[in-house]
Amino acid sequence: MRRISQASSLPGMLHSTKTYLTRRSLLRRTLLSGSAFFFDSRGIALLSFLRAQQKDPFANGPLLGTLDFIHESSAPLNTLQGSELDGRLNSDLSSVEAQSPITPVKNFYVRTRASELLPDPATWQLKIGGLVEQPIRLEIEALRKMAKPMGAHLMECAGNVRLARFGLLSVGEWAGVLVSEALDNAKVKSGAPRILISGFDRYARESRTSIPGASWVFTRDQLEKSGAFLATELNGQPLTKDHGAPVRLVIPGWYGCTCIKWVNEINFVREDVEATSQMQEYAARTMQKGVPALARDFQPAVIEQAAMPIRIEKWSVAGKIQYLVVGIAWGGSEPVKALEIRFNPEEDYVPVDNFHQVKNDPWTFWTHNWSPQAPGIYAIRLWVKEPAVEARRLDSGYYVRSVEITEV
Ligand SMILES: Nc1nc2c(c(=O)[nH]1)N[C@H]1C(S)=C(S)[C@@H](COP(=O)(O)O)O[C@H]1N2
Ligand SMILES: [Mo]
């Protein structure tokens, strides 16, 4: 890996630390994204350009750097801040590469750090109770032994806002136990069709930002269909405390607020059980109608189809400045055929050059060649044309990101 030396000579426009790119990743990305990648009207000239440069493709510094998104914030990225309920880590999406799509644990976003009162994980027990014939206590060791690979899944906080630089979103490779399997031995009484999953939520200090108490109510069907699991490992390592050690819930495709950390109780409850305080706190952000009093009146807190740019690369191609918009698409329940991008409200939406979504979870990387007509500030927005695809957050302009172009 080597630094692009030109980056620091363009003040104000570039991240000095984001301008790394290996030769291999450049070439691989060229192959990955197919023939449309970087082909201007003289695309062949570009290919031969790359070939000629293969000894050292960066000798002439074709990648000049990465532009910052503006109007967001200077919130630190990949850095743990604060403690307990006010603890956060915003993941730096700008450096994510398509060929290594798993977020390293140290950069995986954190919303709520572990309580200083958290009991000793070694003696952790998970109680399965409520309306059952006989409560069951699952020892953490037993759960760890049952754990199996659960695949790569994206997690996004329902409160993943512009001020957090949209960094409350990450992808992990999980291992754990299907909730349905963990509940197999429970003898449930009749009239207890709902399942309340709660975590340890007592903290040493009061929070400035959050209400303590994380729990969510599901139906068995929701847990089964989503493939919900009790995770004990993230990226091949035991869970870290801040990510919910020793055991947390993961509901693939649902917002992070349902993915209860430090799970200590699973209770079978009545059909007409109240919504928990966590459900009520997150009602608006999970797009409920008002704040329902009862859990059964909540819609599943699923992530609808979403997309946004994660970085804008500035290249010098055959002596011309070119921009490459690199982005992600995630959420939704069926892959969509086309994603469209628009630069400023005055321009039309155009299809994203390199977009092939084969699954909704975890994320899909796309790239789009961009030659802005003039310097200025551009607001970049995406949408999915297919009317059958629900994408309320995307459609509301939630994920719009802006850049300032000073050179064309
Ligand atoms: N016990 C508990 N679990 C919790 C929370 C919490 O405050 N307490 N926060 C939730 C929210 S809002 C999110 S977005 C995810 C974040 O998980 P992460 O910090 O591992 O990324 O955890 C969820 N699980
Ligand atoms: Mo969240």
Side-chain angles (χ1 to χ4, degrees):
M1 212 183 261
R2 59 174 285 197
R3 188 132 177 192
I4 311 303
S5 54
Q6 284 87 340
S8 51
S9 65
L10 293 159
M13 289 200 55
L14 307 165
H15 295 284
S16 54
T17 53
K18 302 294 155 41
T19 48
Y20 294 88
L21 194 68
T22 61
R23 183 174 314 147
R24 249 168 79 229
S25 75
L26 170 72
L27 294 174
R28 225 186 281 136
R29 276 162 56 188
T30 310
L31 297 174
L32 264 181
S33 49
S35 56
F37 187 88
F38 251 53
F39 277 43
D40 56 8
S41 51
R42 294 164 305 131
I44 298 157
L46 172 61
L47 251 191
S48 57
F49 164 79
L50 271 176
R51 266 193 210 117
Q53 297 295 318
Q54 248 175 29
K55 253 203 262 153
D56 187 355
F58 293 134
N60 298 330
L63 175 62
L64 300 175
T66 305
L67 274 65
D68 274 321
F69 291 107
I70 59 168
H71 306 151
E72 294 192 355
S73 76
S74 53
L77 299 172
N78 289 355
T79 311
L80 265 173
Q81 302 246 291
S83 61
E84 296 197 306
L85 275 169
D86 294 322
R88 297 282 187 281
L89 182 144
N90 303 314
S91 210
D92 182 0
L93 300 176
S94 72
S95 54
V96 180
E97 298 280 351
Q99 67 275 8
S100 46
I102 307 295
T103 313
V105 174
K106 66 177 192 333
N107 300 337
F108 197 102
Y109 88 86
V110 175
R111 163 61 170 85
T112 306
R113 293 187 67 186
S115 165
E116 285 162 20
L117 310 178
L118 197 72
D120 179 8
T123 59
W124 196 271
Q125 288 188 332
L126 201 168
K127 186 186 131 215
I128 299 175
L131 300 171
V132 292
E133 299 298 341
Q134 183 91 57
I136 300 173
R137 284 179 192 282
L138 273 175
E139 305 286 336
I140 191 63
E141 240 350 271
L143 269 173
R144 284 206 182 107
K145 289 211 180 94
M146 289 161 74
K148 293 189 188 75
M150 289 288 153
H153 298 286
L154 175 140
M155 194 176 290
E156 182 187 18
C157 180
N160 185 20
V161 289
R162 169 182 291 253
L163 269 180
R165 305 171 74 179
F166 300 111
L168 298 174
L169 186 162
S170 299
V171 169
E173 185 87 51
W174 302 89
V177 180
L178 288 175
V179 177
S180 52
E181 198 182 322
L183 296 180
D184 254 359
N185 296 326
K187 293 210 169 54
V188 188
K189 292 183 176 166
S190 62
R194 290 182 189 265
I195 298 168
L196 167 65
I197 304 189
S198 339
F200 180 88
D201 268 296
R202 282 189 296 113
Y203 296 88
R205 281 179 306 277
E206 253 182 56
S207 164
R208 291 178 290 115
T209 57
S210 309
I211 308 165
S215 52
W216 206 274
V217 179
F218 307 91
T219 62
R220 202 165 187 140
D221 192 51
Q222 289 170 343
L223 293 169
E224 271 167 25
K225 289 215 170 105
S226 62
F229 56 92
L230 293 162
T232 53
E233 288 173 31
L234 172 57
N235 297 354
Q237 302 290 319
L239 275 185
T240 60
K241 260 191 172 184
D242 289 333
H243 292 300
V247 55
R248 78 167 308 161
L249 183 64
V250 175
I251 317 271
W254 291 43
Y255 280 114
C257 50
T258 65
C259 299
I260 307 304
K261 301 197 269 195
W262 314 292
V263 172
N264 55 8
E265 284 197 31
I266 301 182
N267 288 303
F268 286 87
V269 292
R270 306 183 316 269
E271 163 65 11
D272 59 350
V273 68
E274 300 79 42
T276 65
S277 64
Q278 166 97 346
M279 294 170 83
Q280 296 186 332
E281 182 185 354
Y282 279 91
R285 282 171 269 178
T286 58
M287 288 168 297
Q288 307 299 328
K289 287 202 188 82
V291 183
L294 301 183
R296 70 175 178 213
D297 295 325
F298 272 69
Q299 296 300 310
V302 293
I303 308 175
E304 293 177 355
Q305 181 67 56
M308 69 178 168
I310 57 172
R311 68 172 167 273
I312 313 291
E313 295 176 356
K314 182 181 180 183
W315 292 76
S316 167
V317 179
K320 276 174 54 187
I321 299 292
Q322 281 218 21
Y323 294 88
L324 185 75
V325 185
V326 180
I328 53 173
W330 73 100
S333 53
E334 296 286 338
V336 296
K337 281 185 206 74
L339 186 64
E340 296 200 330
I341 191 165
R342 185 185 78 183
F343 301 91
N344 284 347
E346 307 83 63
E347 296 190 14
D348 292 330
Y349 278 100
V350 294
V352 166
D353 291 333
N354 296 296
F355 171 74
H356 305 282
Q357 191 177 30
V358 290
K359 50 183 182 170
N360 298 78
D361 181 32
W363 48 17
T364 300
F365 291 83
W366 50 264
T367 61
H368 186 75
N369 256 313
W370 180 35
S371 302
Q373 294 299 301
I377 291 174
Y378 289 84
I380 307 175
R381 186 165 171 167
L382 292 124
W383 80 316
V384 176
K385 222 175 173 180
E386 295 154 51
V389 176
E390 280 246 87
R392 286 174 287 173
R393 221 179 225 206
L394 186 64
D395 292 346
S396 74
Y398 189 96
Y399 293 108
V400 171
R401 306 191 85 173
S402 300
V403 282
E404 180 164 15
I405 297 293
T406 57
E407 205 184 350
V408 294

